[in-house]
């Protein structure tokens, strides 16, 4: 099993460009999450999907949109990238909200 | 939302000594208390967790203790080894929070050989 996979691993964007970060899990998990990690600030939840067909905002949703494409895949879209969105983005999944979250390898995004 | 504080922010210990990290939270409805470890350049991984009906849990060299009255829980690492060098995050979760973990800012632990 690959666990949680993310693409791309690295990305450089110019201000105003758009892009989609992809996340997939092969553990038959119901819940999926997107976090961003900035130095000294831990991980902050952007959006989450408690189950297929549902999505909800987390702590820092502004400037992002998500799509739970199916049970396996959960994508994060930046419509108009800003330098403040420079960060490392982690996708995670869990069987349900009461269980361990498994993280993907992360995407390092730089917005110039 | 939940306010989470971790102390200390950095910790340097001699190999073989013990390390203790404390996490303080604000929401008295919190009922799940995990600790994650993140090695440099890697993803966070769960190392131990505890639920509100248990006061202490051990797994080999690591343990977590919970004081719900005082609203804090702690990670204890004994007989530290170089591979324990990492950033550690607490992430309490409150009931009714709809699965949302609230991560602390992290504690950087360095084990000196």
């Amino acid at each position: 099993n690959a666990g949680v996979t993310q693409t791309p691993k690295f990305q450089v964007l110019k201000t105003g460009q758009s892009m989609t970060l992809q996340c997939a899990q092969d553990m038959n998990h119901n819940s999926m999450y997107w976090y961003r990690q900035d130095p000294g600030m831990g991980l902050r939840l952007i959006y989450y999907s408690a189950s297929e067909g549902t999505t909800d905002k987390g702590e820092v949703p502004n400037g992002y949109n998500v799509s739970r494409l199916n049970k396996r895949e959960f994508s994060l879209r930046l419509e108009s990238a800003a330098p403040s969105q420079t960060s490392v983005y982690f996708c995670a999944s869990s069987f349900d909200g009461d269980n361990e979250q498994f993280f993907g390898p992360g995407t390092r995004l730089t917005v110039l | 939302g939940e306010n989470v504080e971790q102390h200390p922010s950095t910790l340097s210990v001699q190999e073989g000594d013990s390390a203790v990290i404390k996490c303080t939270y604000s929401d008295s409805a919190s009922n799940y208390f995990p600790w994650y470890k993140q090695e440099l350049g890697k993803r966070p991984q769960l190392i131990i967790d505890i639920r509100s009906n248990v006061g202490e849990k051990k797994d080999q060299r690591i343990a977590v203790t919970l004081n719900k009255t005082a609203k804090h829980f702690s990670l204890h690492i004994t007989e530290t080894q170089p591979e324990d060098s990492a950033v550690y995050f607490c992430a309490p979760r409150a009931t009714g929070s709809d699965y949302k973990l609230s991560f602390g800012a992290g504690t950087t632990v360095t084990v000196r050989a």
Side-chain angles (χ1 to χ4, degrees):
Chain A
N1 289 350
V4 181
T5 57
Q6 292 181 235
T7 55
K9 285 185 169 54
F10 302 94
Q11 183 71 48
V12 178
L13 294 177
K14 295 181 180 178
T15 296
Q17 288 185 317
S18 63
M19 80 161 293
T20 300
L21 281 64
Q22 306 286 355
C23 174
Q25 52 89 11
D26 63 0
M27 295 178 283
N28 199 35
H29 284 171
N30 295 300
S31 304
M32 298 185 75
Y33 315 83
W34 276 106
Y35 293 90
R36 60 177 289 172
Q37 184 173 35
D38 302 297
M41 298 188 73
L43 292 103
R44 293 183 292 169
L45 184 64
I46 305 171
Y47 270 93
Y48 66 102
S49 172
S51 60
E52 185 180 358
T54 69
T55 60
D56 283 287
K57 295 178 181 179
E59 183 185 354
V60 289
N62 291 347
Y64 305 94
N65 283 301
V66 290
S67 294
R68 183 75 183 265
L69 304 170
N70 48 55
K71 189 171 185 178
R72 290 186 63 249
E73 298 172 290
F74 188 38
S75 63
L76 178 72
R77 183 160 177 85
L78 286 71
E79 291 291 352
S80 179
S84 60
Q85 294 178 306
T86 293
S87 189
V88 179
Y89 291 85
F90 286 100
C91 176
S93 72
S94 62
F95 180 73
D96 59 29
D98 200 33
N99 284 279
E100 175 183 357
Q101 291 188 16
F102 293 84
F103 285 80
T107 294
R108 185 172 295 275
L109 175 67
T110 301
V111 182
L112 302 175
Chain B
E2 177 97 87
N3 289 324
V4 180
E5 292 188 0
Q6 272 184 247
H7 292 282
S9 58
T10 61
L11 182 58
S12 179
V13 297
Q14 190 71 34
E15 183 177 354
D17 287 350
S18 296
V20 181
I21 306 168
K22 184 176 180 179
C23 181
T24 303
Y25 59 93
S26 62
D27 193 335
S28 57
S30 293
N31 66 345
Y32 176 61
F33 308 93
W35 284 96
Y36 283 81
K37 175 184 180 181
Q38 185 177 28
E39 297 177 3
L40 188 63
K42 301 290 182 63
R43 71 192 78 187
Q45 290 186 296
L46 179 74
I47 54 171
I48 196 165
D49 58 9
I50 195 170
R51 297 186 186 270
S52 60
N53 58 339
V54 179
E56 182 176 357
K57 182 177 178 181
K58 286 184 181 179
D59 183 3
Q60 299 183 342
R61 295 186 299 106
I62 60 172
V64 54
T65 57
L66 172 63
N67 185 329
K68 284 212 74 182
T69 303
K71 291 190 282 188
H72 66 74
F73 61 111
S74 298
L75 176 68
H76 304 256
I77 308 173
T78 59
E79 300 173 23
T80 53
Q81 299 171 4
E83 56 263 36
D84 296 327
S85 294
V87 181
Y88 293 82
F89 296 96
C90 63
R93 188 194 69 208
T95 54
S97 68
D98 202 13
Y99 312 129
K100 290 182 285 189
L101 300 176
S102 297
F103 280 82
T107 297
T108 301
V109 173
T110 303
V111 180
R112 307 186 308 272

mmCIF file of all heavy atoms in Angstrom, chain A residues 23-48:
data_model
loop_
_atom_site.group_PDB
_atom_site.id
_atom_site.type_symbol
_atom_site.label_atom_id
_atom_site.label_comp_id
_atom_site.label_asym_id
_atom_site.label_seq_id
_atom_site.Cartn_x
_atom_site.Cartn_y
_atom_site.Cartn_z
ATOM 1 N N CYS A 23 -4.210 14.817 -3.866
ATOM 2 C CA CYS A 23 -3.986 13.898 -2.739
ATOM 3 C C CYS A 23 -4.824 12.651 -2.967
ATOM 4 O O CYS A 23 -6.005 12.754 -3.354
ATOM 5 C CB CYS A 23 -4.376 14.552 -1.423
ATOM 6 S SG CYS A 23 -4.292 13.450 0.011
ATOM 7 N N ALA A 24 -4.227 11.485 -2.721
ATOM 8 C CA ALA A 24 -4.963 10.230 -2.831
ATOM 9 C C ALA A 24 -4.527 9.295 -1.711
ATOM 10 O O ALA A 24 -3.374 9.316 -1.288
ATOM 11 C CB ALA A 24 -4.718 9.588 -4.194
ATOM 12 N N GLN A 25 -5.479 8.479 -1.240
ATOM 13 C CA GLN A 25 -5.161 7.468 -0.216
ATOM 14 C C GLN A 25 -5.761 6.137 -0.628
ATOM 15 O O GLN A 25 -6.833 6.087 -1.229
ATOM 16 C CB GLN A 25 -5.672 7.924 1.168
ATOM 17 C CG GLN A 25 -7.123 8.330 1.239
ATOM 18 C CD GLN A 25 -8.108 7.229 1.538
ATOM 19 O OE1 GLN A 25 -7.704 6.110 1.910
ATOM 20 N NE2 GLN A 25 -9.400 7.525 1.411
ATOM 21 N N ASP A 26 -5.036 5.065 -0.285
ATOM 22 C CA ASP A 26 -5.482 3.726 -0.655
ATOM 23 C C ASP A 26 -5.791 2.880 0.572
ATOM 24 O O ASP A 26 -5.698 1.652 0.537
ATOM 25 C CB ASP A 26 -4.440 3.046 -1.542
ATOM 26 C CG ASP A 26 -3.105 2.833 -0.839
ATOM 27 O OD1 ASP A 26 -2.980 3.206 0.343
ATOM 28 O OD2 ASP A 26 -2.182 2.314 -1.494
ATOM 29 N N MET A 27 -6.167 3.527 1.674
ATOM 30 C CA MET A 27 -6.437 2.821 2.932
ATOM 31 C C MET A 27 -7.927 2.705 3.226
ATOM 32 O O MET A 27 -8.314 2.324 4.335
ATOM 33 C CB MET A 27 -5.713 3.557 4.071
ATOM 34 C CG MET A 27 -4.205 3.497 3.928
ATOM 35 S SD MET A 27 -3.321 4.412 5.215
ATOM 36 C CE MET A 27 -3.534 6.082 4.625
ATOM 37 N N ASN A 28 -8.755 3.077 2.259
ATOM 38 C CA ASN A 28 -10.208 3.019 2.418
ATOM 39 C C ASN A 28 -10.687 3.898 3.576
ATOM 40 O O ASN A 28 -11.647 3.561 4.277
ATOM 41 C CB ASN A 28 -10.696 1.570 2.622
ATOM 42 C CG ASN A 28 -12.180 1.433 2.326
ATOM 43 O OD1 ASN A 28 -12.716 2.094 1.444
ATOM 44 N ND2 ASN A 28 -12.848 0.565 3.072
ATOM 45 N N HIS A 29 -9.992 5.030 3.746
ATOM 46 C CA HIS A 29 -10.376 5.950 4.819
ATOM 47 C C HIS A 29 -11.552 6.822 4.396
ATOM 48 O O HIS A 29 -11.706 7.173 3.229
ATOM 49 C CB HIS A 29 -9.191 6.842 5.180
ATOM 50 C CG HIS A 29 -8.160 6.127 5.998
ATOM 51 N ND1 HIS A 29 -6.924 6.691 6.269
ATOM 52 C CD2 HIS A 29 -8.172 4.931 6.605
ATOM 53 C CE1 HIS A 29 -6.229 5.857 7.027
ATOM 54 N NE2 HIS A 29 -6.972 4.773 7.231
ATOM 55 N N ASN A 30 -12.354 7.182 5.388
ATOM 56 C CA ASN A 30 -13.514 8.018 5.119
ATOM 57 C C ASN A 30 -13.192 9.507 5.179
ATOM 58 O O ASN A 30 -13.771 10.310 4.466
ATOM 59 C CB ASN A 30 -14.627 7.719 6.127
ATOM 60 C CG ASN A 30 -15.154 6.318 5.972
ATOM 61 O OD1 ASN A 30 -15.662 5.949 4.911
ATOM 62 N ND2 ASN A 30 -15.018 5.514 7.013
ATOM 63 N N SER A 31 -12.283 9.894 6.068
ATOM 64 C CA SER A 31 -12.011 11.311 6.331
ATOM 65 C C SER A 31 -10.674 11.732 5.733
ATOM 66 O O SER A 31 -9.695 10.987 5.795
ATOM 67 C CB SER A 31 -11.995 11.581 7.839
ATOM 68 O OG SER A 31 -13.212 11.167 8.440
ATOM 69 N N MET A 32 -10.665 12.935 5.162
ATOM 70 C CA MET A 32 -9.436 13.483 4.579
ATOM 71 C C MET A 32 -9.307 14.944 4.944
ATOM 72 O O MET A 32 -10.303 15.629 5.208
ATOM 73 C CB MET A 32 -9.433 13.278 3.057
ATOM 74 C CG MET A 32 -9.459 11.813 2.649
ATOM 75 S SD MET A 32 -9.310 11.525 0.880
ATOM 76 C CE MET A 32 -7.556 11.864 0.628
ATOM 77 N N TYR A 33 -8.047 15.423 4.977
ATOM 78 C CA TYR A 33 -7.742 16.757 5.512
ATOM 79 C C TYR A 33 -6.635 17.421 4.693
ATOM 80 O O TYR A 33 -5.770 16.735 4.161
ATOM 81 C CB TYR A 33 -7.236 16.643 6.959
ATOM 82 C CG TYR A 33 -8.031 15.722 7.841
ATOM 83 C CD1 TYR A 33 -7.791 14.347 7.828
ATOM 84 C CD2 TYR A 33 -8.999 16.217 8.707
ATOM 85 C CE1 TYR A 33 -8.516 13.484 8.636
ATOM 86 C CE2 TYR A 33 -9.728 15.362 9.523
ATOM 87 C CZ TYR A 33 -9.480 13.997 9.480
ATOM 88 O OH TYR A 33 -10.208 13.161 10.291
ATOM 89 N N TRP A 34 -6.667 18.744 4.642
ATOM 90 C CA TRP A 34 -5.560 19.525 4.108
ATOM 91 C C TRP A 34 -5.061 20.486 5.191
ATOM 92 O O TRP A 34 -5.856 21.222 5.801
ATOM 93 C CB TRP A 34 -5.990 20.346 2.888
ATOM 94 C CG TRP A 34 -5.948 19.585 1.610
ATOM 95 C CD1 TRP A 34 -6.988 19.097 0.886
ATOM 96 C CD2 TRP A 34 -4.760 19.233 0.885
ATOM 97 N NE1 TRP A 34 -6.534 18.457 -0.229
ATOM 98 C CE2 TRP A 34 -5.175 18.524 -0.269
ATOM 99 C CE3 TRP A 34 -3.388 19.455 1.073
ATOM 100 C CZ2 TRP A 34 -4.269 18.033 -1.216
ATOM 101 C CZ3 TRP A 34 -2.493 18.965 0.136
ATOM 102 C CH2 TRP A 34 -2.945 18.259 -0.988
ATOM 103 N N TYR A 35 -3.730 20.451 5.417
ATOM 104 C CA TYR A 35 -3.080 21.344 6.378
ATOM 105 C C TYR A 35 -2.005 22.151 5.654
ATOM 106 O O TYR A 35 -1.458 21.729 4.650
ATOM 107 C CB TYR A 35 -2.367 20.548 7.474
ATOM 108 C CG TYR A 35 -3.249 19.760 8.405
ATOM 109 C CD1 TYR A 35 -3.594 18.450 8.117
ATOM 110 C CD2 TYR A 35 -3.709 20.329 9.589
ATOM 111 C CE1 TYR A 35 -4.384 17.717 9.006
ATOM 112 C CE2 TYR A 35 -4.503 19.603 10.481
ATOM 113 C CZ TYR A 35 -4.827 18.295 10.165
ATOM 114 O OH TYR A 35 -5.609 17.583 11.040
ATOM 115 N N ARG A 36 -1.665 23.279 6.246
ATOM 116 C CA ARG A 36 -0.461 23.990 5.836
ATOM 117 C C ARG A 36 0.452 24.105 7.057
ATOM 118 O O ARG A 36 -0.027 24.201 8.202
ATOM 119 C CB ARG A 36 -0.758 25.367 5.244
ATOM 120 C CG ARG A 36 -1.473 26.347 6.132
ATOM 121 C CD ARG A 36 -1.654 27.707 5.440
ATOM 122 N NE ARG A 36 -0.374 28.425 5.317
ATOM 123 C CZ ARG A 36 -0.211 29.550 4.621
ATOM 124 N NH1 ARG A 36 -1.237 30.094 3.996
ATOM 125 N NH2 ARG A 36 0.975 30.132 4.566
ATOM 126 N N GLN A 37 1.755 24.060 6.785
ATOM 127 C CA GLN A 37 2.730 24.150 7.868
ATOM 128 C C GLN A 37 3.693 25.279 7.586
ATOM 129 O O GLN A 37 4.404 25.265 6.579
ATOM 130 C CB GLN A 37 3.501 22.833 8.032
ATOM 131 C CG GLN A 37 4.457 22.857 9.209
ATOM 132 C CD GLN A 37 5.101 21.508 9.476
ATOM 133 O OE1 GLN A 37 5.389 20.741 8.573
ATOM 134 N NE2 GLN A 37 5.316 21.204 10.751
ATOM 135 N N ASP A 38 3.717 26.239 8.477
ATOM 136 C CA ASP A 38 4.629 27.376 8.401
ATOM 137 C C ASP A 38 5.554 27.335 9.598
ATOM 138 O O ASP A 38 5.177 26.845 10.671
ATOM 139 C CB ASP A 38 3.828 28.686 8.391
ATOM 140 C CG ASP A 38 2.855 28.729 7.229
ATOM 141 O OD1 ASP A 38 3.330 28.717 6.084
ATOM 142 O OD2 ASP A 38 1.634 28.747 7.472
ATOM 143 N N PRO A 39 6.773 27.855 9.450
ATOM 144 C CA PRO A 39 7.748 27.798 10.549
ATOM 145 C C PRO A 39 7.200 28.370 11.846
ATOM 146 O O PRO A 39 6.640 29.465 11.856
ATOM 147 C CB PRO A 39 8.915 28.623 10.004
ATOM 148 C CG PRO A 39 8.786 28.528 8.524
ATOM 149 C CD PRO A 39 7.316 28.472 8.239
ATOM 150 N N GLY A 40 7.346 27.613 12.928
ATOM 151 C CA GLY A 40 6.936 28.090 14.245
ATOM 152 C C GLY A 40 5.442 28.118 14.498
ATOM 153 O O GLY A 40 5.001 28.610 15.527
ATOM 154 N N MET A 41 4.651 27.575 13.558
ATOM 155 C CA MET A 41 3.193 27.674 13.732
ATOM 156 C C MET A 41 2.491 26.326 13.711
ATOM 157 O O MET A 41 1.276 26.267 13.659
ATOM 158 C CB MET A 41 2.601 28.570 12.650
ATOM 159 C CG MET A 41 3.123 29.982 12.701
ATOM 160 S SD MET A 41 2.265 31.079 11.580
ATOM 161 C CE MET A 41 0.711 31.249 12.433
ATOM 162 N N GLY A 42 3.229 25.248 13.740
ATOM 163 C CA GLY A 42 2.564 23.956 13.729
ATOM 164 C C GLY A 42 1.809 23.740 12.430
ATOM 165 O O GLY A 42 2.116 24.334 11.395
ATOM 166 N N LEU A 43 0.816 22.880 12.485
ATOM 167 C CA LEU A 43 -0.016 22.596 11.311
ATOM 168 C C LEU A 43 -1.373 23.250 11.513
ATOM 169 O O LEU A 43 -1.987 23.101 12.578
ATOM 170 C CB LEU A 43 -0.188 21.090 11.117
ATOM 171 C CG LEU A 43 1.071 20.352 10.710
ATOM 172 C CD1 LEU A 43 1.666 19.622 11.892
ATOM 173 C CD2 LEU A 43 0.769 19.362 9.585
ATOM 174 N N ARG A 44 -1.844 23.919 10.494
ATOM 175 C CA ARG A 44 -3.153 24.568 10.551
ATOM 176 C C ARG A 44 -4.071 23.950 9.510
ATOM 177 O O ARG A 44 -3.696 23.806 8.350
ATOM 178 C CB ARG A 44 -3.007 26.076 10.349
ATOM 179 C CG ARG A 44 -2.287 26.782 11.488
ATOM 180 C CD ARG A 44 -2.235 28.278 11.278
ATOM 181 N NE ARG A 44 -1.381 28.644 10.165
ATOM 182 C CZ ARG A 44 -1.309 29.859 9.614
ATOM 183 N NH1 ARG A 44 -2.079 30.828 10.104
ATOM 184 N NH2 ARG A 44 -0.495 30.094 8.623
ATOM 185 N N LEU A 45 -5.275 23.622 9.934
ATOM 186 C CA LEU A 45 -6.237 22.949 9.070
ATOM 187 C C LEU A 45 -6.858 23.936 8.093
ATOM 188 O O LEU A 45 -7.399 24.971 8.498
ATOM 189 C CB LEU A 45 -7.320 22.291 9.930
ATOM 190 C CG LEU A 45 -8.366 21.463 9.209
ATOM 191 C CD1 LEU A 45 -7.731 20.244 8.541
ATOM 192 C CD2 LEU A 45 -9.450 21.029 10.184
ATOM 193 N N ILE A 46 -6.811 23.600 6.806
ATOM 194 C CA ILE A 46 -7.375 24.472 5.775
ATOM 195 C C ILE A 46 -8.817 24.052 5.489
ATOM 196 O O ILE A 46 -9.751 24.849 5.613
ATOM 197 C CB ILE A 46 -6.545 24.399 4.484
ATOM 198 C CG1 ILE A 46 -5.071 24.712 4.759
ATOM 199 C CG2 ILE A 46 -7.095 25.368 3.434
ATOM 200 C CD1 ILE A 46 -4.156 24.444 3.563
ATOM 201 N N TYR A 47 -8.991 22.811 5.079
ATOM 202 C CA TYR A 47 -10.295 22.224 4.803
ATOM 203 C C TYR A 47 -10.238 20.757 5.194
ATOM 204 O O TYR A 47 -9.169 20.160 5.251
ATOM 205 C CB TYR A 47 -10.639 22.307 3.313
ATOM 206 C CG TYR A 47 -11.365 23.552 2.864
ATOM 207 C CD1 TYR A 47 -10.656 24.648 2.380
ATOM 208 C CD2 TYR A 47 -12.765 23.628 2.903
ATOM 209 C CE1 TYR A 47 -11.320 25.788 1.954
ATOM 210 C CE2 TYR A 47 -13.425 24.769 2.471
ATOM 211 C CZ TYR A 47 -12.696 25.848 2.002
ATOM 212 O OH TYR A 47 -13.360 26.984 1.571
ATOM 213 N N TYR A 48 -11.398 20.177 5.428
ATOM 214 C CA TYR A 48 -11.460 18.754 5.667
ATOM 215 C C TYR A 48 -12.735 18.178 5.064
ATOM 216 O O TYR A 48 -13.680 18.919 4.745
ATOM 217 C CB TYR A 48 -11.370 18.432 7.165
ATOM 218 C CG TYR A 48 -12.526 18.916 7.994
ATOM 219 C CD1 TYR A 48 -13.524 18.045 8.416
ATOM 220 C CD2 TYR A 48 -12.613 20.251 8.380
ATOM 221 C CE1 TYR A 48 -14.585 18.491 9.191
ATOM 222 C CE2 TYR A 48 -13.666 20.707 9.154
ATOM 223 C CZ TYR A 48 -14.644 19.827 9.559
ATOM 224 O OH TYR A 48 -15.693 20.272 10.317
#
